Amino acid sequence: RKEVEQDPGPFNVPEGATVAFNCTYSNSASQSFFWYRQDCRKEPKLLMSVYSSGNEDGRFTAQLNRASQYISLLIRDSKLSDSATYLCVVNSIRGSTLGRLYFGRGTQLTVWP
Amino acid sequence: EAGVVQSPRYKIIEKKQPVAFWCNPISGHNTLYWYLQNLGQGPELLIRYENEEAVDDSQLPKDRFSAERLKGVDSTLKIQPAELGDSAVYLCASSATDRNTGELFFGEGSRLTVL
């Protein structure tokens, strides 16, 4: 079973729409969680960290549900520039490995005018 | 401030040939990572360095892949011999601490095509 599972999409939404992505993780001992953004043929970049109490950054809201082991990202008022792949990332500690980041396969979002 | 620099950006080789990728991390970043990303997939860790020490290399296929980080700065990743299945993007990343807090700074990647 993969460490991080994401629905690959694609999600195609009009400008102004609200869209939500979820991902699940397998290791209940995972300690930290993130969303990265990757534009087509570019490198991944950190979008935001995900905190237990939930956190917001402008139009982006991230939520963590430890009991169900899932993470969500909500984008409100979608812009054309939000079109990208969103990668769910989990920091898990297994055995002697001092924390390793596991990336989901990403969810592709296209916002159309 | 300069970001993570990788070269070459693109490389096309025939199978069984060797290939090497180079990475220069952000100045002052002690932790360096090599990731492999296949089309439609997320990055997968190959190796992580803390300074010059490889602290996590369990995912590196050691029969054909090797890496080094001399003097704890630049790093090279080598494949010898390359196989068709090695075609992918090889991403280098660096971070400022050894606690793996989650903010990695990636280079633009080296796209390998094996024919």
Side-chain angles (χ1 to χ4, degrees):
Chain A
R1 183 183 173 187
K2 288 194 172 183
E3 293 279 343
V4 181
E5 298 273 8
Q6 276 186 269
D7 178 353
F11 285 66
N12 297 303
V13 302
E15 270 189 295
T18 296
V19 61
F21 309 135
N22 295 322
C23 85
T24 58
Y25 59 95
S26 60
N27 184 358
S28 59
S30 297
Q31 296 190 328
S32 45
F33 311 89
F34 313 90
W35 284 100
Y36 273 68
R37 170 190 169 131
Q38 186 170 25
D39 292 309
C40 187
R41 301 181 76 84
K42 297 288 188 181
E43 73 274 20
K45 294 183 179 179
L46 178 67
L47 177 66
M48 60 194 301
S49 301
V50 186
Y51 302 119
S52 296
S53 55
N55 48 297
E56 194 173 299
D57 183 2
R59 297 180 293 107
F60 298 82
T61 300
Q63 297 272 357
L64 168 65
N65 185 321
R66 285 189 181 271
S68 301
Q69 293 180 212
Y70 82 77
I71 306 150
S72 65
L73 177 68
L74 182 77
I75 306 176
R76 292 183 301 278
D77 190 22
S78 299
K79 311 292 185 191
L80 296 178
S81 57
D82 294 334
S83 297
T85 296
Y86 292 83
L87 299 162
C88 178
V89 184
V90 173
N91 185 355
S92 291
I93 295 179
R94 289 193 181 280
S96 61
T97 302
L98 184 62
R100 177 188 292 176
L101 290 183
Y102 291 91
F103 286 75
R105 64 180 298 181
T107 299
Q108 185 179 344
L109 171 67
T110 300
V111 181
W112 45 273
Chain B
E1 179 181 312
V4 176
V5 179
Q6 290 188 246
S7 69
R9 288 291 312 282
Y10 303 92
K11 188 74 176 179
I12 301 174
I13 60 172
E14 294 188 345
K15 63 181 180 181
K16 300 186 181 179
Q17 295 299 305
V19 63
F21 305 113
W22 175 82
C23 173
N24 183 264
I26 291 174
S27 178
H29 281 191
N30 297 325
T31 309
L32 182 147
Y33 313 77
W34 283 102
Y35 281 86
L36 176 154
Q37 187 172 25
N38 287 302
L39 187 65
Q41 302 295 320
E44 298 175 29
L45 181 69
L46 290 172
I47 189 168
R48 183 178 84 197
Y49 283 93
E50 302 293 348
N51 299 303
E52 65 273 10
E53 181 184 0
V55 297
D56 186 354
D57 64 354
S58 58
Q59 305 265 79
L60 189 72
K62 298 181 181 61
D63 56 336
R64 298 184 300 107
F65 286 64
S66 64
E68 60 182 10
R69 191 185 184 195
L70 300 176
K71 301 181 181 178
V73 182
D74 295 4
S75 177
T76 57
L77 176 70
K78 297 178 182 178
I79 309 174
Q80 182 171 8
E83 297 179 352
L84 295 176
D86 296 332
S87 295
V89 177
Y90 292 83
L91 293 163
C92 179
S94 68
S95 64
T97 72
D98 61 357
R99 301 304 295 173
N100 209 356
T101 57
E103 182 157 23
L104 306 187
F105 295 86
F106 284 88
E108 293 182 296
S110 294
R111 186 176 296 273
L112 173 66
T113 301
V114 182
L115 303 176

PDB file of all heavy atoms in Angstrom, chain B residues 11-19 21 64-65 79 81-88 90 111-115:
ATOM      1  N   LYS B  11      18.867  15.112 -21.153  1.00  0.00           N
ATOM      2  CA  LYS B  11      19.889  14.172 -21.589  1.00  0.00           C
ATOM      3  C   LYS B  11      19.211  13.006 -22.295  1.00  0.00           C
ATOM      4  O   LYS B  11      18.262  12.417 -21.757  1.00  0.00           O
ATOM      5  CB  LYS B  11      20.684  13.663 -20.380  1.00  0.00           C
ATOM      6  CG  LYS B  11      21.896  12.836 -20.725  1.00  0.00           C
ATOM      7  CD  LYS B  11      23.014  13.702 -21.263  1.00  0.00           C
ATOM      8  CE  LYS B  11      24.269  12.885 -21.530  1.00  0.00           C
ATOM      9  NZ  LYS B  11      25.374  13.728 -22.085  1.00  0.00           N
ATOM     10  N   ILE B  12      19.707  12.704 -23.485  1.00  0.00           N
ATOM     11  CA  ILE B  12      19.200  11.562 -24.244  1.00  0.00           C
ATOM     12  C   ILE B  12      20.361  10.623 -24.477  1.00  0.00           C
ATOM     13  O   ILE B  12      21.399  11.032 -25.018  1.00  0.00           O
ATOM     14  CB  ILE B  12      18.588  11.999 -25.589  1.00  0.00           C
ATOM     15  CG1 ILE B  12      17.440  12.973 -25.366  1.00  0.00           C
ATOM     16  CG2 ILE B  12      18.117  10.777 -26.379  1.00  0.00           C
ATOM     17  CD1 ILE B  12      16.880  13.569 -26.653  1.00  0.00           C
ATOM     18  N   ILE B  13      20.199   9.379 -24.059  1.00  0.00           N
ATOM     19  CA  ILE B  13      21.277   8.400 -24.223  1.00  0.00           C
ATOM     20  C   ILE B  13      20.678   7.084 -24.685  1.00  0.00           C
ATOM     21  O   ILE B  13      19.469   6.859 -24.590  1.00  0.00           O
ATOM     22  CB  ILE B  13      22.060   8.172 -22.915  1.00  0.00           C
ATOM     23  CG1 ILE B  13      21.129   7.644 -21.813  1.00  0.00           C
ATOM     24  CG2 ILE B  13      22.769   9.442 -22.476  1.00  0.00           C
ATOM     25  CD1 ILE B  13      21.857   7.216 -20.558  1.00  0.00           C
ATOM     26  N   GLU B  14      21.549   6.215 -25.163  1.00  0.00           N
ATOM     27  CA  GLU B  14      21.111   4.874 -25.497  1.00  0.00           C
ATOM     28  C   GLU B  14      21.268   3.981 -24.271  1.00  0.00           C
ATOM     29  O   GLU B  14      22.126   4.233 -23.417  1.00  0.00           O
ATOM     30  CB  GLU B  14      21.919   4.333 -26.674  1.00  0.00           C
ATOM     31  CG  GLU B  14      21.667   5.110 -27.960  1.00  0.00           C
ATOM     32  CD  GLU B  14      22.314   4.469 -29.163  1.00  0.00           C
ATOM     33  OE1 GLU B  14      23.182   3.606 -28.967  1.00  0.00           O
ATOM     34  OE2 GLU B  14      21.956   4.832 -30.296  1.00  0.00           O
ATOM     35  N   LYS B  15      20.462   2.943 -24.243  1.00  0.00           N
ATOM     36  CA  LYS B  15      20.539   2.033 -23.088  1.00  0.00           C
ATOM     37  C   LYS B  15      21.944   1.444 -22.998  1.00  0.00           C
ATOM     38  O   LYS B  15      22.659   1.311 -23.990  1.00  0.00           O
ATOM     39  CB  LYS B  15      19.500   0.926 -23.188  1.00  0.00           C
ATOM     40  CG  LYS B  15      19.656   0.008 -24.375  1.00  0.00           C
ATOM     41  CD  LYS B  15      18.544  -1.034 -24.385  1.00  0.00           C
ATOM     42  CE  LYS B  15      18.699  -1.968 -25.592  1.00  0.00           C
ATOM     43  NZ  LYS B  15      17.615  -2.995 -25.645  1.00  0.00           N
ATOM     44  N   LYS B  16      22.310   1.157 -21.774  1.00  0.00           N
ATOM     45  CA  LYS B  16      23.620   0.616 -21.407  1.00  0.00           C
ATOM     46  C   LYS B  16      24.709   1.681 -21.341  1.00  0.00           C
ATOM     47  O   LYS B  16      25.831   1.366 -20.925  1.00  0.00           O
ATOM     48  CB  LYS B  16      24.069  -0.527 -22.329  1.00  0.00           C
ATOM     49  CG  LYS B  16      23.109  -1.705 -22.329  1.00  0.00           C
ATOM     50  CD  LYS B  16      23.652  -2.865 -23.143  1.00  0.00           C
ATOM     51  CE  LYS B  16      22.662  -4.024 -23.138  1.00  0.00           C
ATOM     52  NZ  LYS B  16      23.142  -5.184 -23.938  1.00  0.00           N
ATOM     53  N   GLN B  17      24.408   2.901 -21.733  1.00  0.00           N
ATOM     54  CA  GLN B  17      25.370   3.985 -21.596  1.00  0.00           C
ATOM     55  C   GLN B  17      25.323   4.544 -20.179  1.00  0.00           C
ATOM     56  O   GLN B  17      24.308   4.432 -19.488  1.00  0.00           O
ATOM     57  CB  GLN B  17      25.079   5.100 -22.605  1.00  0.00           C
ATOM     58  CG  GLN B  17      25.257   4.678 -24.047  1.00  0.00           C
ATOM     59  CD  GLN B  17      26.681   4.241 -24.316  1.00  0.00           C
ATOM     60  OE1 GLN B  17      27.639   4.985 -24.071  1.00  0.00           O
ATOM     61  NE2 GLN B  17      26.842   3.019 -24.832  1.00  0.00           N
ATOM     62  N   PRO B  18      26.402   5.171 -19.728  1.00  0.00           N
ATOM     63  CA  PRO B  18      26.384   5.832 -18.424  1.00  0.00           C
ATOM     64  C   PRO B  18      25.861   7.259 -18.546  1.00  0.00           C
ATOM     65  O   PRO B  18      25.887   7.843 -19.630  1.00  0.00           O
ATOM     66  CB  PRO B  18      27.864   5.844 -18.030  1.00  0.00           C
ATOM     67  CG  PRO B  18      28.590   5.911 -19.339  1.00  0.00           C
ATOM     68  CD  PRO B  18      27.743   5.154 -20.329  1.00  0.00           C
ATOM     69  N   VAL B  19      25.403   7.795 -17.419  1.00  0.00           N
ATOM     70  CA  VAL B  19      24.944   9.185 -17.397  1.00  0.00           C
ATOM     71  C   VAL B  19      25.181   9.733 -15.991  1.00  0.00           C
ATOM     72  O   VAL B  19      25.153   8.978 -15.012  1.00  0.00           O
ATOM     73  CB  VAL B  19      23.455   9.286 -17.793  1.00  0.00           C
ATOM     74  CG1 VAL B  19      22.557   8.565 -16.798  1.00  0.00           C
ATOM     75  CG2 VAL B  19      23.024  10.733 -17.971  1.00  0.00           C
ATOM     76  N   PHE B  21      24.399  13.255 -13.372  1.00  0.00           N
ATOM     77  CA  PHE B  21      23.686  14.502 -13.122  1.00  0.00           C
ATOM     78  C   PHE B  21      24.388  15.233 -11.980  1.00  0.00           C
ATOM     79  O   PHE B  21      24.887  14.616 -11.040  1.00  0.00           O
ATOM     80  CB  PHE B  21      22.236  14.232 -12.747  1.00  0.00           C
ATOM     81  CG  PHE B  21      21.496  13.398 -13.741  1.00  0.00           C
ATOM     82  CD1 PHE B  21      21.070  12.122 -13.416  1.00  0.00           C
ATOM     83  CD2 PHE B  21      21.243  13.879 -15.014  1.00  0.00           C
ATOM     84  CE1 PHE B  21      20.392  11.343 -14.340  1.00  0.00           C
ATOM     85  CE2 PHE B  21      20.566  13.107 -15.940  1.00  0.00           C
ATOM     86  CZ  PHE B  21      20.142  11.833 -15.604  1.00  0.00           C
ATOM     87  N   ARG B  64      23.130  -0.163 -10.008  1.00  0.00           N
ATOM     88  CA  ARG B  64      23.439   0.701 -11.157  1.00  0.00           C
ATOM     89  C   ARG B  64      23.514   2.184 -10.815  1.00  0.00           C
ATOM     90  O   ARG B  64      24.012   2.980 -11.595  1.00  0.00           O
ATOM     91  CB  ARG B  64      22.383   0.491 -12.250  1.00  0.00           C
ATOM     92  CG  ARG B  64      22.327  -0.913 -12.803  1.00  0.00           C
ATOM     93  CD  ARG B  64      21.337  -1.042 -13.946  1.00  0.00           C
ATOM     94  NE  ARG B  64      19.987  -0.695 -13.520  1.00  0.00           N
ATOM     95  CZ  ARG B  64      19.366   0.415 -13.849  1.00  0.00           C
ATOM     96  NH1 ARG B  64      19.964   1.301 -14.623  1.00  0.00           N
ATOM     97  NH2 ARG B  64      18.138   0.664 -13.430  1.00  0.00           N
ATOM     98  N   PHE B  65      22.999   2.564  -9.682  1.00  0.00           N
ATOM     99  CA  PHE B  65      22.981   3.978  -9.283  1.00  0.00           C
ATOM    100  C   PHE B  65      24.041   4.219  -8.213  1.00  0.00           C
ATOM    101  O   PHE B  65      24.231   3.392  -7.315  1.00  0.00           O
ATOM    102  CB  PHE B  65      21.614   4.365  -8.713  1.00  0.00           C
ATOM    103  CG  PHE B  65      20.520   4.500  -9.722  1.00  0.00           C
ATOM    104  CD1 PHE B  65      20.076   3.415 -10.459  1.00  0.00           C
ATOM    105  CD2 PHE B  65      19.909   5.720  -9.937  1.00  0.00           C
ATOM    106  CE1 PHE B  65      19.052   3.544 -11.395  1.00  0.00           C
ATOM    107  CE2 PHE B  65      18.879   5.869 -10.850  1.00  0.00           C
ATOM    108  CZ  PHE B  65      18.450   4.775 -11.575  1.00  0.00           C
ATOM    109  N   ILE B  79      24.260   6.925 -13.151  1.00  0.00           N
ATOM    110  CA  ILE B  79      23.593   5.682 -13.524  1.00  0.00           C
ATOM    111  C   ILE B  79      24.499   4.974 -14.530  1.00  0.00           C
ATOM    112  O   ILE B  79      24.903   5.555 -15.540  1.00  0.00           O
ATOM    113  CB  ILE B  79      22.215   5.929 -14.177  1.00  0.00           C
ATOM    114  CG1 ILE B  79      21.351   6.856 -13.315  1.00  0.00           C
ATOM    115  CG2 ILE B  79      21.494   4.601 -14.390  1.00  0.00           C
ATOM    116  CD1 ILE B  79      20.031   7.257 -13.980  1.00  0.00           C
ATOM    117  N   PRO B  81      24.966   0.770 -15.918  1.00  0.00           N
ATOM    118  CA  PRO B  81      24.478   1.276 -17.191  1.00  0.00           C
ATOM    119  C   PRO B  81      23.007   1.686 -17.106  1.00  0.00           C
ATOM    120  O   PRO B  81      22.256   1.151 -16.283  1.00  0.00           O
ATOM    121  CB  PRO B  81      24.620   0.049 -18.090  1.00  0.00           C
ATOM    122  CG  PRO B  81      24.341  -1.106 -17.157  1.00  0.00           C
ATOM    123  CD  PRO B  81      24.891  -0.688 -15.815  1.00  0.00           C
ATOM    124  N   ALA B  82      22.600   2.613 -17.959  1.00  0.00           N
ATOM    125  CA  ALA B  82      21.207   3.053 -17.952  1.00  0.00           C
ATOM    126  C   ALA B  82      20.325   2.012 -18.634  1.00  0.00           C
ATOM    127  O   ALA B  82      20.739   1.327 -19.574  1.00  0.00           O
ATOM    128  CB  ALA B  82      21.082   4.395 -18.660  1.00  0.00           C
ATOM    129  N   GLU B  83      19.082   1.911 -18.145  1.00  0.00           N
ATOM    130  CA  GLU B  83      18.084   1.035 -18.728  1.00  0.00           C
ATOM    131  C   GLU B  83      16.905   1.868 -19.204  1.00  0.00           C
ATOM    132  O   GLU B  83      16.731   3.016 -18.789  1.00  0.00           O
ATOM    133  CB  GLU B  83      17.621   0.006 -17.696  1.00  0.00           C
ATOM    134  CG  GLU B  83      18.712  -0.928 -17.225  1.00  0.00           C
ATOM    135  CD  GLU B  83      18.230  -1.925 -16.191  1.00  0.00           C
ATOM    136  OE1 GLU B  83      17.078  -1.806 -15.720  1.00  0.00           O
ATOM    137  OE2 GLU B  83      19.026  -2.836 -15.855  1.00  0.00           O
ATOM    138  N   LEU B  84      16.100   1.265 -20.069  1.00  0.00           N
ATOM    139  CA  LEU B  84      14.951   1.999 -20.618  1.00  0.00           C
ATOM    140  C   LEU B  84      14.061   2.565 -19.512  1.00  0.00           C
ATOM    141  O   LEU B  84      13.571   3.690 -19.600  1.00  0.00           O
ATOM    142  CB  LEU B  84      14.132   1.081 -21.532  1.00  0.00           C
ATOM    143  CG  LEU B  84      14.820   0.585 -22.805  1.00  0.00           C
ATOM    144  CD1 LEU B  84      13.919  -0.381 -23.554  1.00  0.00           C
ATOM    145  CD2 LEU B  84      15.220   1.755 -23.695  1.00  0.00           C
ATOM    146  N   GLY B  85      13.886   1.791 -18.454  1.00  0.00           N
ATOM    147  CA  GLY B  85      13.006   2.196 -17.362  1.00  0.00           C
ATOM    148  C   GLY B  85      13.540   3.338 -16.518  1.00  0.00           C
ATOM    149  O   GLY B  85      12.830   3.836 -15.645  1.00  0.00           O
ATOM    150  N   ASP B  86      14.763   3.761 -16.795  1.00  0.00           N
ATOM    151  CA  ASP B  86      15.333   4.882 -16.040  1.00  0.00           C
ATOM    152  C   ASP B  86      14.888   6.229 -16.589  1.00  0.00           C
ATOM    153  O   ASP B  86      15.187   7.275 -15.990  1.00  0.00           O
ATOM    154  CB  ASP B  86      16.863   4.817 -16.065  1.00  0.00           C
ATOM    155  CG  ASP B  86      17.405   3.581 -15.370  1.00  0.00           C
ATOM    156  OD1 ASP B  86      16.729   3.070 -14.446  1.00  0.00           O
ATOM    157  OD2 ASP B  86      18.497   3.114 -15.758  1.00  0.00           O
ATOM    158  N   SER B  87      14.207   6.228 -17.708  1.00  0.00           N
ATOM    159  CA  SER B  87      13.713   7.483 -18.282  1.00  0.00           C
ATOM    160  C   SER B  87      12.757   8.135 -17.288  1.00  0.00           C
ATOM    161  O   SER B  87      11.748   7.544 -16.894  1.00  0.00           O
ATOM    162  CB  SER B  87      12.981   7.217 -19.597  1.00  0.00           C
ATOM    163  OG  SER B  87      13.866   6.714 -20.573  1.00  0.00           O
ATOM    164  N   ALA B  88      13.105   9.350 -16.883  1.00  0.00           N
ATOM    165  CA  ALA B  88      12.360  10.044 -15.838  1.00  0.00           C
ATOM    166  C   ALA B  88      12.986  11.417 -15.656  1.00  0.00           C
ATOM    167  O   ALA B  88      13.957  11.767 -16.318  1.00  0.00           O
ATOM    168  CB  ALA B  88      12.409   9.272 -14.521  1.00  0.00           C
ATOM    169  N   TYR B  90      14.964  13.610 -12.894  1.00  0.00           N
ATOM    170  CA  TYR B  90      15.740  13.473 -11.660  1.00  0.00           C
ATOM    171  C   TYR B  90      15.827  14.851 -11.013  1.00  0.00           C
ATOM    172  O   TYR B  90      16.393  15.789 -11.566  1.00  0.00           O
ATOM    173  CB  TYR B  90      17.112  12.876 -11.960  1.00  0.00           C
ATOM    174  CG  TYR B  90      16.973  11.433 -12.401  1.00  0.00           C
ATOM    175  CD1 TYR B  90      16.678  11.123 -13.731  1.00  0.00           C
ATOM    176  CD2 TYR B  90      17.056  10.392 -11.477  1.00  0.00           C
ATOM    177  CE1 TYR B  90      16.486   9.812 -14.132  1.00  0.00           C
ATOM    178  CE2 TYR B  90      16.863   9.084 -11.866  1.00  0.00           C
ATOM    179  CZ  TYR B  90      16.570   8.795 -13.200  1.00  0.00           C
ATOM    180  OH  TYR B  90      16.371   7.497 -13.592  1.00  0.00           O
ATOM    181  N   ARG B 111      15.965  15.933 -17.079  1.00  0.00           N
ATOM    182  CA  ARG B 111      15.053  14.999 -17.764  1.00  0.00           C
ATOM    183  C   ARG B 111      15.868  14.016 -18.590  1.00  0.00           C
ATOM    184  O   ARG B 111      16.564  14.411 -19.533  1.00  0.00           O
ATOM    185  CB  ARG B 111      14.073  15.758 -18.647  1.00  0.00           C
ATOM    186  CG  ARG B 111      13.000  14.890 -19.292  1.00  0.00           C
ATOM    187  CD  ARG B 111      12.018  15.759 -20.069  1.00  0.00           C
ATOM    188  NE  ARG B 111      11.299  16.665 -19.178  1.00  0.00           N
ATOM    189  CZ  ARG B 111      10.187  16.367 -18.544  1.00  0.00           C
ATOM    190  NH1 ARG B 111       9.617  15.180 -18.701  1.00  0.00           N
ATOM    191  NH2 ARG B 111       9.586  17.254 -17.765  1.00  0.00           N
ATOM    192  N   LEU B 112      15.786  12.748 -18.228  1.00  0.00           N
ATOM    193  CA  LEU B 112      16.552  11.700 -18.900  1.00  0.00           C
ATOM    194  C   LEU B 112      15.650  10.876 -19.806  1.00  0.00           C
ATOM    195  O   LEU B 112      14.578  10.429 -19.374  1.00  0.00           O
ATOM    196  CB  LEU B 112      17.213  10.776 -17.868  1.00  0.00           C
ATOM    197  CG  LEU B 112      17.916   9.539 -18.435  1.00  0.00           C
ATOM    198  CD1 LEU B 112      19.125   9.942 -19.272  1.00  0.00           C
ATOM    199  CD2 LEU B 112      18.332   8.586 -17.309  1.00  0.00           C
ATOM    200  N   THR B 113      16.102  10.688 -21.024  1.00  0.00           N
ATOM    201  CA  THR B 113      15.433   9.784 -21.960  1.00  0.00           C
ATOM    202  C   THR B 113      16.437   8.719 -22.364  1.00  0.00           C
ATOM    203  O   THR B 113      17.527   9.036 -22.857  1.00  0.00           O
ATOM    204  CB  THR B 113      14.947  10.524 -23.211  1.00  0.00           C
ATOM    205  OG1 THR B 113      14.033  11.555 -22.825  1.00  0.00           O
ATOM    206  CG2 THR B 113      14.234   9.561 -24.158  1.00  0.00           C
ATOM    207  N   VAL B 114      16.070   7.468 -22.134  1.00  0.00           N
ATOM    208  CA  VAL B 114      16.923   6.339 -22.509  1.00  0.00           C
ATOM    209  C   VAL B 114      16.287   5.629 -23.697  1.00  0.00           C
ATOM    210  O   VAL B 114      15.126   5.198 -23.616  1.00  0.00           O
ATOM    211  CB  VAL B 114      17.112   5.364 -21.332  1.00  0.00           C
ATOM    212  CG1 VAL B 114      18.042   4.224 -21.736  1.00  0.00           C
ATOM    213  CG2 VAL B 114      17.656   6.093 -20.112  1.00  0.00           C
ATOM    214  N   LEU B 115      17.025   5.553 -24.786  1.00  0.00           N
ATOM    215  CA  LEU B 115      16.495   4.944 -26.020  1.00  0.00           C
ATOM    216  C   LEU B 115      16.945   3.511 -26.178  1.00  0.00           C
ATOM    217  O   LEU B 115      18.043   3.152 -25.688  1.00  0.00           O
ATOM    218  CB  LEU B 115      16.945   5.766 -27.230  1.00  0.00           C
ATOM    219  CG  LEU B 115      16.550   7.257 -27.222  1.00  0.00           C
ATOM    220  CD1 LEU B 115      17.147   7.951 -28.435  1.00  0.00           C
ATOM    221  CD2 LEU B 115      15.048   7.407 -27.200  1.00  0.00           C
TER     222      LEU B 115
END
